[in-house]
Amino acid sequence: LQTYGDFQIDFKNQKLVEPNSDANSNKIEDETPNMDTNFIPKDYKLKFSPDVVVGNPGYSTYFGFQGVTQMQFSDELGDHQIFVQANLLYNLKNSSFFLAYNYLPNVVDYQINAFSGAGFINRPNEVNQSTLYRFRKIGMGGNASYPLNLFQRFDFGFSFLNLTKDNIYYPGTDDISKYLIVPTADYVYDDVLWGMYAPSKGTRMNFEITASPKLGENGSGFGIFKTDIRNYQYISNQFSFASRFSGGFSFGGNSRNFFLGGTENLFNPTFGSSNSKFGASGYLPFNDPEDFAFMQMAMPLRGFNIGELRGTKFFLTNLELRFPMLTALVAGPLPILIQGVMGSVFVDIGGAWNDKFTISETIIDEFGNERLQRNNLAMSAGLGIRSYLLGLPLKVDIAWRNEFYNWSPPVYLFSLGYDF
């Protein structure tokens, strides 16, 4: 073994670096003897410039492929922002847009906005014929956000809404129009650190209440309370464990339904339930304009149809172990088609009900045998793979439903987006 011997370090004779005699203020003053240093302060002038202008394609589980254009403008100090988002289709009545102005110089952030949204949904009509309906919401409102610290805040909002449901095939036959005033308030806590496809450490939670007093005969009076609590435990080497609990209830004369089942941005969705007590299978479970405007979708409950369970009360629990598989496959000079592969093992348990919660009920099957059938409770388990495909976060899940007496055949789910 070769070494370099012992050394002694002595700081007795150290010297400070001498300043450069040529670099001094007098030289600058000598070279600019006529410079006027009596600057006159002027008022700040508000002038907007573009921050970002983008157009993106997208996919919705409910309405298929979509495109959206987004633009943001702000002043030099960032105290004022204008945000525009639009998805234009034929005319304004069929289009969706969102326009907002944000006032940000103080502790409390303020926003005023105007918006319109439209969605086309197939539903059976009064004689059980498939009919195309246009659901639309148009309105204006304002929001205020008050931060308590870096991780906590209170949000308050107030909106005026006009909700409509139009029969496209037979105009005027069963159209609905309602006017709503909707105040909202919620508390947010979020200190998570992100991993590759989802948070990997920390806690986030939200408590939200939404209400709408009934205005006239065509109004809608209801209240909604929801909570969502998530915790992420980082284990090591990109291993993490995620747990989530969400729940809520709706009250009032026109209380709203929560729809359980499916996962977000699903490419191969199925709607409703084969059990007639929950509604017709194959249709998006929207009947009223409020269903479209507020969209109380509780996900993920993998292996089940979207809207498989519904009710004015719900809970949903998700447990998921996430681990690396082929994370070393990253893009380089030659891009790789699939990169950053992660895996997961999950369990989803949820329930929705109106008055009385029951786990199951006894029915007679097609062979004349008695068996248990799911009522207000649903459970599934499975495996998942996460990867970036051409830069898009792709999720592939294999889920098995618990049918009390056995487990269902595997259900394959393909979706875009990040995990909870």
Side-chain angles (χ1 to χ4, degrees):
L1 178 65
Q2 183 178 2
T3 63
Y4 293 95
D6 296 330
F7 294 88
Q8 292 183 350
I9 301 176
D10 187 3
F11 294 100
K12 294 180 179 180
N13 297 322
Q14 63 177 335
K15 294 183 178 180
L16 296 176
V17 177
E18 296 293 336
N20 187 351
S21 59
D22 294 331
N24 56 67
S25 58
N26 294 331
K27 184 174 181 61
I28 298 177
E29 293 178 357
D30 293 341
E31 292 179 353
T32 56
N34 298 323
M35 177 181 290
D36 185 6
T37 58
N38 296 319
F39 300 109
I40 300 175
K42 296 182 179 181
D43 294 335
Y44 175 71
K45 292 184 179 181
L46 182 62
K47 183 179 180 181
F48 287 95
S49 60
D51 295 332
V52 61
V53 178
V54 296
N56 292 316
Y59 181 82
S60 167
T61 300
Y62 317 112
F63 311 113
F65 286 97
Q66 295 179 317
V68 63
T69 300
Q70 295 174 313
M71 296 177 285
Q72 180 171 292
F73 307 87
S74 67
D75 66 326
E76 188 172 359
L77 296 179
D79 293 339
H80 307 266
Q81 288 182 351
I82 296 175
F83 178 77
V84 180
Q85 177 175 296
N87 180 10
L88 303 179
L89 180 65
Y90 300 120
N91 53 42
L92 290 178
K93 193 171 185 178
N94 297 294
S95 302
S96 300
F97 67 85
F98 179 80
L99 174 64
Y101 165 71
N102 298 299
Y103 182 73
L104 309 174
N106 302 318
V107 174
V108 180
D109 295 337
Y110 297 96
Q111 181 189 93
I112 56 175
N113 54 62
F115 50 87
S116 176
F120 297 88
I121 300 171
N122 277 302
R123 289 288 303 160
N125 59 15
E126 297 177 355
V127 294
N128 206 29
Q129 294 176 336
S130 179
T131 303
L132 182 64
Y133 289 94
R134 176 178 55 224
F135 288 78
R136 186 172 182 238
K137 66 175 180 179
I138 183 171
M140 61 182 299
N143 301 308
S145 181
Y146 176 68
L148 302 178
N149 52 44
L150 185 62
F151 306 112
Q152 303 178 74
R153 72 176 188 269
F154 285 103
D155 294 332
F156 305 94
F158 196 86
S159 301
F160 299 92
L161 298 177
N162 173 228
L163 309 181
T164 61
K165 175 185 177 183
D166 302 325
N167 192 322
I168 301 299
Y169 290 166
Y170 307 99
T173 55
D174 50 358
D175 295 351
I176 300 175
S177 179
K178 296 183 179 182
Y179 291 91
L180 280 71
I181 295 177
V182 184
T184 63
D186 63 318
Y187 165 79
V188 179
Y189 178 90
D190 192 342
D191 68 351
V192 301
L193 297 175
W194 271 79
M196 187 173 295
Y197 296 99
S200 61
K201 184 179 181 180
T203 301
R204 56 184 7 177
M205 64 180 69
N206 174 270
F207 299 90
E208 176 185 352
I209 185 167
T210 301
S212 177
K214 188 171 184 178
L215 301 176
E217 295 182 356
N218 293 329
S220 182
F222 63 88
I224 301 172
F225 174 81
K226 293 191 300 181
T227 184
D228 192 321
I229 303 172
R230 312 177 186 189
N231 182 259
Y232 307 92
Q233 296 292 332
Y234 184 78
I235 302 174
S236 66
N237 297 325
Q238 300 190 54
F239 280 80
S240 64
F241 182 77
S243 58
R244 175 191 180 193
F245 172 81
S246 59
F249 61 91
S250 181
F251 53 91
N254 300 99
S255 56
R256 310 313 315 149
N257 278 321
F258 298 94
F259 302 101
L260 269 68
T263 188
E264 297 84 357
N265 301 320
L266 192 60
F267 282 117
N268 54 334
T270 51
F271 302 103
S273 172
S274 57
N275 187 349
S276 60
K277 70 182 292 185
F278 293 115
S281 177
Y283 294 98
L284 191 62
F286 289 170
N287 291 313
D288 302 323
E290 296 93 326
D291 294 333
F292 170 75
F294 298 98
M295 292 186 69
Q296 304 298 324
M297 315 299 289
M299 298 177 176
L301 186 58
R302 286 157 283 198
F304 292 91
N305 295 349
I306 296 173
E308 179 84 19
L309 300 180
R310 69 184 66 178
T312 57
K313 306 174 183 67
F314 90 98
F315 79 92
L316 179 61
T317 299
N318 307 103
L319 304 174
E320 192 162 322
L321 176 65
R322 296 162 179 168
F323 51 88
M325 294 180 67
L326 296 172
T327 56
L329 294 177
V330 296
L334 295 177
I336 300 175
L337 182 65
I338 297 177
Q339 52 186 295
V341 181
M342 295 280 291
S344 65
V345 178
F346 62 83
V347 175
D348 300 332
I349 304 174
W353 68 100
N354 290 319
D355 299 320
K356 183 180 179 181
F357 179 83
T358 57
I359 295 177
S360 63
E361 61 183 350
T362 302
I363 65 168
I364 305 299
D365 62 17
E366 62 272 22
F367 303 105
N369 301 318
E370 289 188 357
R371 65 179 179 88
L372 291 177
Q373 177 175 270
R374 180 177 59 257
N375 197 354
N376 300 131
L377 181 68
M379 173 182 174
S380 66
L383 309 171
I385 297 176
R386 309 291 181 257
S387 179
Y388 283 102
L389 176 64
L390 298 177
L392 299 175
L394 175 66
K395 298 188 293 184
V396 179
D397 292 301
I398 306 173
W400 289 266
R401 297 187 304 271
N402 183 276
E403 303 288 2
F404 296 103
Y405 54 91
N406 62 12
W407 291 84
S408 73
V411 179
Y412 298 91
L413 307 171
F414 302 90
S415 60
L416 286 177
Y418 296 97
D419 284 317
F420 69 85

